[in-house]
Amino acid sequence: MTRSFAVALVFVEVRVVQGVTGWENLGLAATETVVWSCLAFSILSADIVLQVQELRRSRPVPARVQAASSSA
């Protein structure tokens, strides 16, 4: 689901990058480069997020040491 969301945001990212920088006037080659760059970055960042989540989930929880109680 995280990757799907990241890839779906590529449309918005491309529109923002081209709108802010004015690169939409440079032609199709510039547009293609922006699209591929945004796609690569979104997939890479989504995979990094998923890997961090997996590492945090699989880390063993340290056991608590109980104090020895004396019954004497």
Side-chain angles (χ1 to χ4, degrees):
M1 176 111 176
T2 302
R3 278 189 211 104
S4 299
F5 184 70
V7 172
L9 282 177
V10 169
F11 174 77
V12 175
E13 293 168 1
V14 170
R15 299 295 287 181
V16 168
V17 167
Q18 287 189 330
V20 170
T21 61
W23 289 349
E24 72 270 4
N25 299 326
L26 296 177
L28 291 178
T31 301
E32 184 178 351
T33 302
V34 170
V35 169
W36 280 109
S37 299
C38 289
L39 183 64
F41 182 72
S42 68
I43 292 175
L44 176 67
S45 60
D47 280 340
I48 289 172
V49 167
L50 290 173
Q51 291 295 324
V52 168
Q53 287 176 349
E54 183 66 29
L55 287 173
R56 292 182 77 204
R57 191 176 328 134
S58 64
R59 189 181 329 169
V61 177
R64 293 186 180 185
V65 178
Q66 295 182 358
S69 61
S70 59
S71 59

